[in-house]
Each structure stands twice: as structure tokens, then as C-alpha cells.
Amino acid sequence: MLNLERALNQDRLLRALTELNRNAFDALLPSFEKAYEASRIAAKPVRKRARGGGRKARLQSIEAKLF
């Protein structure tokens, strides 16, 4: 299994897996976070249960989700 911290700390490994260097990855992160939050809010059907009632996400950080 790939360690996310290892990939983010090693520029060569990050570039091999994502074709982005660390500076480009960090520059993309704020716009990805805004788009991710907007997509979670935008098209939600009428809910039967309150938010947080489902399965918990495995990818906790926004960096892991972008990766």
C-alpha cells in the first residue's frame, strides 16, 4: 500500500504518480477544496436522515482526496 505522506514528501514519486510536482500540487489544492465542498452541497436530494448518518470516509484529509 502506498503511503501518502511518503508520496507527498518525495517530489520524484509524486511526479511519477500524478504528473505534478509539490508546488503544482499545493497550488491546485485550494481550488480543489472549494470545488469539492461545492459539489457536496450543490446537488443533494431530500435527505431521510441527518447528515453524518452514513458510512465514514476512508480518505480523511483533503490532500488524500486530491491525490
Side-chain angles (χ1 to χ4, degrees):
M1 178 146 183
L2 180 65
N3 186 354
L4 178 64
E5 292 300 321
R6 181 175 158 224
L8 291 177
N9 289 332
Q10 295 180 2
D11 194 48
R12 185 174 175 178
L13 182 58
L14 183 64
R15 188 179 294 242
L17 294 171
T18 64
E19 295 186 9
L20 297 172
N21 62 7
R22 183 59 193 221
N23 292 334
F25 186 84
D26 289 339
L28 185 60
L29 193 59
S31 60
F32 174 75
E33 187 171 9
K34 288 178 188 174
Y36 181 77
E37 290 300 322
S39 71
R40 290 188 66 206
I41 295 170
K44 290 290 182 183
V46 177
R47 298 183 65 90
K48 292 182 180 180
R49 294 181 187 87
R51 224 174 239 284
R55 180 176 51 185
K56 303 300 178 211
R58 288 184 176 248
L59 300 175
Q60 297 297 323
S61 68
I62 195 72
E63 290 90 5
K65 291 174 184 171
L66 175 59
F67 184 75

Coordinates of all heavy atoms in Angstrom, one line a residue:
M1 N 0.8 -1.2 0.0 CA 0.0 0.0 0.0 C 0.9 1.2 0.0 O 1.9 1.3 0.7 CB -0.9 0.0 1.2 CG -1.8 1.2 1.3 SD -3.3 0.7 2.1 CE -4.1 2.3 2.0
L2 N 0.5 2.2 -0.7 CA 1.2 3.5 -0.9 C 1.0 4.4 0.3 O -0.1 4.6 0.7 CB 0.8 4.2 -2.1 CG 1.5 5.5 -2.4 CD1 3.0 5.2 -2.7 CD2 0.9 6.2 -3.6
N3 N 2.1 4.9 0.9 CA 2.0 5.8 2.0 C 1.8 7.2 1.4 O 2.7 7.7 0.7 CB 3.2 5.7 2.9 CG 3.1 6.5 4.1 OD1 2.2 7.3 4.3 ND2 4.1 6.3 5.0
L4 N 0.8 7.9 1.7 CA 0.5 9.2 1.2 C 1.6 10.2 1.6 O 2.0 11.0 0.8 CB -0.9 9.7 1.6 CG -1.3 11.1 1.2 CD1 -1.4 11.1 -0.3 CD2 -2.5 11.5 1.8
E5 N 2.0 10.2 2.9 CA 3.0 11.1 3.4 C 4.3 10.9 2.6 O 5.0 11.9 2.3 CB 3.2 10.9 4.9 CG 2.0 11.3 5.7 CD 1.7 12.8 5.5 OE1 2.6 13.6 5.4 OE2 0.5 13.1 5.4
R6 N 4.6 9.7 2.3 CA 5.9 9.4 1.6 C 5.8 10.0 0.2 O 6.7 10.6 -0.3 CB 6.1 7.9 1.5 CG 7.3 7.5 0.8 CD 7.6 6.0 0.9 NE 8.4 5.6 -0.2 CZ 8.2 4.5 -1.0 NH1 7.2 3.7 -0.8 NH2 9.1 4.3 -2.0
A7 N 4.7 9.8 -0.5 CA 4.5 10.3 -1.8 C 4.5 11.9 -1.8 O 5.1 12.5 -2.8 CB 3.2 9.8 -2.4
L8 N 3.9 12.5 -0.8 CA 3.9 13.9 -0.8 C 5.3 14.5 -0.4 O 5.6 15.7 -0.8 CB 2.8 14.4 0.2 CG 1.4 14.2 -0.2 CD1 0.5 14.7 0.8 CD2 1.1 14.8 -1.6
N9 N 6.1 13.8 0.2 CA 7.4 14.3 0.6 C 8.5 14.1 -0.4 O 9.5 14.7 -0.4 CB 7.8 13.7 2.0 CG 7.0 14.2 3.1 OD1 6.6 15.3 3.1 ND2 6.9 13.4 4.2
Q10 N 8.3 13.1 -1.3 CA 9.3 12.8 -2.3 C 8.7 13.3 -3.7 O 7.8 12.8 -4.3 CB 9.5 11.3 -2.4 CG 10.2 10.7 -1.2 CD 10.4 9.3 -1.3 OE1 10.1 8.6 -2.3 NE2 10.9 8.7 -0.2
D11 N 9.4 14.3 -4.2 CA 8.9 15.0 -5.4 C 9.0 14.1 -6.6 O 8.0 14.1 -7.4 CB 9.8 16.2 -5.7 CG 9.2 17.1 -6.7 OD1 8.0 17.4 -6.6 OD2 9.9 17.5 -7.7
R12 N 10.0 13.2 -6.7 CA 10.0 12.3 -7.8 C 8.9 11.3 -7.8 O 8.3 11.0 -8.8 CB 11.4 11.6 -7.8 CG 11.6 10.7 -9.0 CD 13.0 10.2 -9.0 NE 13.2 9.2 -10.1 CZ 14.3 8.6 -10.4 NH1 15.4 8.8 -9.6 NH2 14.4 7.8 -11.4
L13 N 8.6 10.8 -6.7 CA 7.5 9.8 -6.5 C 6.1 10.5 -6.8 O 5.3 9.9 -7.5 CB 7.5 9.2 -5.1 CG 6.4 8.1 -4.9 CD1 6.5 6.9 -5.8 CD2 6.6 7.6 -3.4
L14 N 5.9 11.7 -6.3 CA 4.7 12.4 -6.5 C 4.5 12.7 -8.0 O 3.5 12.6 -8.6 CB 4.7 13.7 -5.7 CG 3.5 14.6 -5.8 CD1 2.3 13.8 -5.3 CD2 3.7 15.9 -5.1
R15 N 5.6 13.1 -8.7 CA 5.6 13.4 -10.1 C 5.3 12.1 -10.9 O 4.6 12.1 -11.9 CB 6.9 14.0 -10.6 CG 6.8 14.5 -12.0 CD 8.1 15.2 -12.3 NE 8.3 16.3 -11.5 CZ 8.4 17.6 -12.0 NH1 8.4 17.7 -13.3 NH2 8.6 18.6 -11.3
A16 N 5.8 11.0 -10.5 CA 5.6 9.7 -11.2 C 4.1 9.3 -11.1 O 3.6 8.7 -12.0 CB 6.5 8.6 -10.7
L17 N 3.5 9.6 -10.0 CA 2.1 9.1 -9.7 C 1.1 10.1 -10.2 O 0.0 9.6 -10.6 CB 1.9 8.8 -8.2 CG 2.7 7.7 -7.7 CD1 2.6 7.6 -6.2 CD2 2.3 6.4 -8.3
T18 N 1.4 11.4 -10.2 CA 0.3 12.4 -10.5 C 0.7 13.3 -11.6 O -0.1 14.1 -12.1 CB 0.0 13.2 -9.3 OG1 1.2 14.0 -8.9 CG2 -0.5 12.4 -8.1
E19 N 2.0 13.3 -12.1 CA 2.5 14.2 -13.1 C 2.5 15.6 -12.6 O 2.5 16.6 -13.4 CB 1.8 14.1 -14.4 CG 1.9 12.7 -15.1 CD 1.3 12.7 -16.5 OE1 0.9 13.7 -17.0 OE2 1.3 11.6 -17.0
L20 N 2.4 15.8 -11.3 CA 2.5 17.1 -10.7 C 3.7 17.2 -9.7 O 3.9 16.2 -8.9 CB 1.3 17.5 -9.9 CG 0.0 17.6 -10.6 CD1 -1.2 17.7 -9.7 CD2 0.0 18.7 -11.6
N21 N 4.4 18.3 -9.6 CA 5.4 18.4 -8.6 C 4.7 19.0 -7.3 O 3.5 19.3 -7.4 CB 6.6 19.3 -9.0 CG 6.2 20.7 -9.4 OD1 5.0 21.1 -9.2 ND2 7.1 21.4 -9.9
R22 N 5.4 19.1 -6.2 CA 4.8 19.5 -5.0 C 4.2 20.9 -5.1 O 3.2 21.2 -4.5 CB 5.8 19.4 -3.8 CG 5.3 19.8 -2.5 CD 4.2 18.8 -2.1 NE 3.5 19.3 -1.0 CZ 3.0 18.6 0.0 NH1 3.2 17.3 0.0 NH2 2.4 19.1 1.0
N23 N 4.9 21.8 -5.8 CA 4.4 23.2 -5.9 C 3.1 23.3 -6.7 O 2.2 24.0 -6.3 CB 5.5 24.1 -6.6 CG 6.7 24.3 -5.7 OD1 6.6 24.2 -4.5 ND2 7.8 24.5 -6.4
A24 N 3.0 22.5 -7.8 CA 1.8 22.4 -8.5 C 0.7 21.8 -7.7 O -0.5 22.2 -7.8 CB 2.0 21.7 -9.8
F25 N 1.0 20.8 -7.0 CA 0.0 20.1 -6.1 C -0.5 21.0 -5.1 O -1.8 21.1 -4.9 CB 0.7 18.9 -5.5 CG -0.3 18.0 -4.7 CD1 -1.0 17.0 -5.3 CD2 -0.4 18.2 -3.3 CE1 -1.9 16.2 -4.6 CE2 -1.3 17.4 -2.6 CZ -2.1 16.4 -3.2
D26 N 0.3 21.8 -4.5 CA -0.1 22.8 -3.4 C -0.9 23.9 -4.0 O -1.8 24.5 -3.4 CB 1.1 23.3 -2.7 CG 1.7 22.3 -1.8 OD1 1.1 21.3 -1.4 OD2 2.9 22.5 -1.4
A27 N -0.6 24.3 -5.3 CA -1.3 25.4 -6.0 C -2.7 24.9 -6.3 O -3.7 25.7 -6.3 CB -0.6 25.8 -7.2
L28 N -2.9 23.6 -6.7 CA -4.1 23.1 -7.1 C -5.1 22.8 -5.9 O -6.3 22.8 -6.0 CB -3.9 21.8 -7.8 CG -5.1 21.1 -8.5 CD1 -5.8 22.0 -9.5 CD2 -4.6 19.8 -9.1
L29 N -4.5 22.6 -4.7 CA -5.2 22.2 -3.5 C -6.4 23.2 -3.1 O -7.5 22.7 -2.9 CB -4.3 22.0 -2.3 CG -4.8 21.3 -1.1 CD1 -5.3 19.9 -1.5 CD2 -3.7 21.2 -0.1
P30 N -6.2 24.5 -3.0 CA -7.3 25.4 -2.6 C -8.5 25.4 -3.6 O -9.6 25.3 -3.1 CB -6.6 26.8 -2.6 CG -5.2 26.6 -2.5 CD -4.9 25.2 -3.2
S31 N -8.2 25.4 -4.9 CA -9.3 25.3 -5.8 C -10.0 24.0 -5.8 O -11.3 23.9 -5.9 CB -8.8 25.6 -7.3 OG -7.9 24.7 -7.7
F32 N -9.3 22.9 -5.6 CA -9.9 21.6 -5.4 C -10.8 21.5 -4.2 O -11.9 21.0 -4.2 CB -8.9 20.5 -5.3 CG -9.4 19.1 -5.1 CD1 -10.1 18.4 -6.0 CD2 -9.3 18.6 -3.8 CE1 -10.7 17.2 -5.8 CE2 -9.9 17.3 -3.5 CZ -10.5 16.6 -4.5
E33 N -10.3 22.1 -3.1 CA -11.1 22.1 -1.9 C -12.4 22.9 -2.0 O -13.5 22.4 -1.6 CB -10.3 22.7 -0.7 CG -10.9 22.6 0.6 CD -10.0 23.1 1.8 OE1 -8.9 23.6 1.5 OE2 -10.4 22.9 2.9
K34 N -12.4 24.0 -2.7 CA -13.6 24.8 -3.0 C -14.6 24.0 -3.8 O -15.8 24.0 -3.6 CB -13.3 26.1 -3.6 CG -12.6 27.1 -2.7 CD -12.3 28.4 -3.5 CE -11.4 29.3 -2.7 NZ -11.0 30.5 -3.5
A35 N -14.0 23.4 -4.9 CA -14.9 22.6 -5.8 C -15.5 21.4 -5.1 O -16.6 21.0 -5.3 CB -14.1 22.2 -7.0
Y36 N -14.7 20.7 -4.2 CA -15.2 19.6 -3.5 C -16.3 19.9 -2.6 O -17.3 19.2 -2.5 CB -14.0 18.9 -2.7 CG -14.4 17.7 -2.0 CD1 -14.6 16.5 -2.6 CD2 -14.6 17.7 -0.6 CE1 -14.9 15.4 -1.9 CE2 -14.9 16.6 0.1 CZ -15.1 15.4 -0.6 OH -15.5 14.3 0.1
E37 N -16.1 21.0 -1.8 CA -17.2 21.4 -0.9 C -18.4 21.9 -1.6 O -19.5 21.6 -1.2 CB -16.7 22.6 0.0 CG -15.6 22.1 1.0 CD -16.2 21.0 2.0 OE1 -17.3 21.1 2.4 OE2 -15.4 20.1 2.3
A38 N -18.2 22.6 -2.8 CA -19.4 23.0 -3.6 C -20.1 21.8 -4.1 O -21.4 21.8 -4.2 CB -18.9 23.9 -4.7
S39 N -19.4 20.7 -4.5 CA -20.1 19.6 -5.1 C -20.8 18.8 -4.0 O -21.9 18.2 -4.3 CB -19.1 18.6 -5.8 OG -18.3 18.0 -4.8
R40 N -20.4 18.8 -2.8 CA -21.1 18.1 -1.7 C -22.3 18.9 -1.3 O -23.3 18.2 -0.9 CB -20.2 18.1 -0.4 CG -19.0 17.1 -0.6 CD -18.3 16.9 0.7 NE -19.2 16.3 1.6 CZ -19.1 16.3 2.9 NH1 -18.1 17.1 3.5 NH2 -19.9 15.7 3.7
I41 N -22.4 20.2 -1.5 CA -23.5 21.0 -1.1 C -24.5 21.1 -2.3 O -25.8 21.1 -2.0 CB -23.1 22.4 -0.7 CG1 -22.3 22.3 0.6 CG2 -24.3 23.3 -0.4 CD1 -21.6 23.5 1.0
A42 N -24.1 21.1 -3.5 CA -24.9 21.5 -4.7 C -26.1 20.6 -4.9 O -27.2 21.0 -4.8 CB -24.0 21.6 -5.9
A43 N -25.9 19.4 -5.3 CA -26.9 18.5 -5.8 C -27.3 17.4 -4.8 O -27.0 16.3 -5.0 CB -26.5 17.9 -7.1
K44 N -27.9 17.8 -3.7 CA -28.3 16.8 -2.7 C -29.8 16.6 -2.8 O -30.6 17.5 -2.8 CB -28.0 17.3 -1.3 CG -26.5 17.3 -1.0 CD -26.0 15.9 -1.0 CE -24.5 15.9 -0.7 NZ -23.9 14.6 -0.7
P45 N -30.2 15.3 -2.9 CA -31.7 15.1 -2.8 C -32.2 15.3 -1.4 O -31.5 15.5 -0.5 CB -31.8 13.6 -3.2 CG -30.5 13.0 -2.8 CD -29.5 14.1 -3.0
V46 N -33.5 15.2 -1.3 CA -34.1 15.3 0.0 C -33.6 14.2 0.9 O -33.7 13.0 0.5 CB -35.7 15.3 -0.1 CG1 -36.3 15.4 1.3 CG2 -36.1 16.4 -1.0
R47 N -33.1 14.5 2.1 CA -32.5 13.5 2.9 C -33.5 12.9 3.9 O -34.4 13.5 4.4 CB -31.4 14.2 3.8 CG -30.3 14.7 3.0 CD -29.2 15.3 3.8 NE -28.6 14.3 4.6 CZ -27.5 13.6 4.2 NH1 -27.0 13.9 3.1 NH2 -26.9 12.7 5.0
K48 N -33.4 11.6 4.1 CA -34.2 10.8 5.0 C -33.6 10.9 6.4 O -34.4 10.9 7.4 CB -34.3 9.4 4.6 CG -35.1 9.2 3.3 CD -35.2 7.7 3.1 CE -36.0 7.4 1.8 NZ -36.1 6.0 1.5
R49 N -32.3 11.0 6.5 CA -31.6 11.1 7.8 C -30.8 12.3 7.9 O -30.4 12.9 6.8 CB -30.8 9.8 8.0 CG -31.6 8.6 8.1 CD -30.6 7.4 8.3 NE -31.4 6.2 8.2 CZ -31.7 5.5 7.1 NH1 -31.2 5.9 6.0 NH2 -32.4 4.4 7.2
A50 N -30.3 12.6 9.1 CA -29.5 13.8 9.2 C -28.1 13.5 8.6 O -27.7 12.4 8.5 CB -29.3 14.1 10.7
R51 N -27.4 14.6 8.3 CA -26.0 14.5 7.8 C -25.1 13.7 8.8 O -25.3 13.9 10.0 CB -25.4 15.9 7.7 CG -24.7 16.0 6.4 CD -24.3 17.5 6.2 NE -24.9 18.1 5.1 CZ -24.4 17.8 3.8 NH1 -23.4 17.0 3.7 NH2 -24.9 18.3 2.8
G52 N -24.2 12.9 8.3 CA -23.3 12.1 9.1 C -23.9 10.8 9.5 O -23.3 10.0 10.3
G53 N -25.0 10.4 8.9 CA -25.6 9.1 9.3 C -25.1 7.9 8.5 O -25.4 6.8 8.9
G54 N -24.3 8.2 7.5 CA -23.8 7.1 6.7 C -22.5 6.6 7.0 O -21.9 6.9 8.1
R55 N -21.9 5.9 6.1 CA -20.5 5.4 6.2 C -19.5 6.5 6.3 O -19.6 7.5 5.6 CB -20.2 4.5 5.1 CG -18.9 3.8 5.1 CD -18.7 2.9 3.9 NE -19.1 3.5 2.7 CZ -19.1 2.9 1.5 NH1 -18.9 1.6 1.4 NH2 -19.5 3.5 0.4
K56 N -18.5 6.4 7.1 CA -17.5 7.4 7.3 C -16.5 7.2 6.1 O -16.1 6.1 5.7 CB -16.7 7.3 8.6 CG -17.7 7.4 9.8 CD -18.4 8.7 9.8 CE -19.3 8.7 11.0 NZ -20.5 9.5 10.8
A57 N -15.9 8.4 5.7 CA -15.0 8.4 4.6 C -13.6 7.8 5.0 O -13.2 8.0 6.1 CB -14.8 9.8 4.1
R58 N -13.0 7.0 4.1 CA -11.7 6.5 4.4 C -10.6 7.5 4.2 O -9.6 7.5 4.9 CB -11.4 5.3 3.5 CG -12.2 4.1 3.9 CD -11.8 2.9 3.0 NE -12.5 1.7 3.5 CZ -12.0 0.7 4.1 NH1 -10.7 0.7 4.3 NH2 -12.7 -0.3 4.4
L59 N -10.8 8.4 3.2 CA -9.8 9.5 3.0 C -10.2 10.7 3.8 O -11.2 11.4 3.4 CB -9.8 9.8 1.5 CG -9.4 8.7 0.6 CD1 -9.5 9.1 -0.9 CD2 -8.0 8.2 0.9
Q60 N -9.5 10.9 4.9 CA -9.9 12.0 5.8 C -9.5 13.4 5.3 O -10.2 14.3 5.4 CB -9.4 11.7 7.2 CG -9.9 10.4 7.8 CD -11.4 10.5 8.0 OE1 -12.0 11.5 8.4 NE2 -12.1 9.4 7.8
S61 N -8.2 13.5 4.9 CA -7.7 14.8 4.6 C -8.0 15.2 3.1 O -8.2 14.4 2.3 CB -6.2 14.9 4.8 OG -5.6 14.1 3.8
I62 N -8.1 16.5 2.9 CA -8.3 17.0 1.5 C -7.2 16.7 0.6 O -7.4 16.4 -0.6 CB -8.7 18.5 1.5 CG1 -9.3 18.9 0.2 CG2 -7.5 19.3 1.8 CD1 -10.7 18.4 0.0
E63 N -5.9 16.6 1.1 CA -4.8 16.2 0.3 C -4.9 14.8 -0.2 O -4.6 14.5 -1.3 CB -3.5 16.3 1.1 CG -3.1 17.7 1.4 CD -3.6 18.2 2.7 OE1 -4.3 17.4 3.5 OE2 -3.4 19.4 3.0
A64 N -5.4 13.9 0.7 CA -5.6 12.5 0.3 C -6.7 12.4 -0.8 O -6.5 11.6 -1.7 CB -5.9 11.6 1.5
K65 N -7.7 13.2 -0.7 CA -8.8 13.2 -1.7 C -8.3 13.7 -3.0 O -8.6 13.1 -4.1 CB -10.0 14.0 -1.2 CG -10.6 13.3 0.0 CD -11.7 14.1 0.5 CE -12.3 13.4 1.8 NZ -13.2 14.2 2.5
L66 N -7.5 14.7 -3.0 CA -6.9 15.2 -4.3 C -5.9 14.3 -4.9 O -5.9 14.1 -6.1 CB -6.2 16.6 -4.1 CG -5.5 17.2 -5.3 CD1 -6.4 17.4 -6.4 CD2 -4.8 18.5 -4.9
F67 N -5.1 13.6 -4.1 CA -4.1 12.7 -4.5 C -4.8 11.5 -5.3 O -4.4 11.1 -6.3 CB -3.3 12.1 -3.4 CG -2.2 11.2 -3.8 CD1 -1.0 11.8 -4.4 CD2 -2.3 9.9 -3.6 CE1 0.0 10.9 -4.8 CE2 -1.3 9.0 -4.0 CZ -0.1 9.6 -4.6

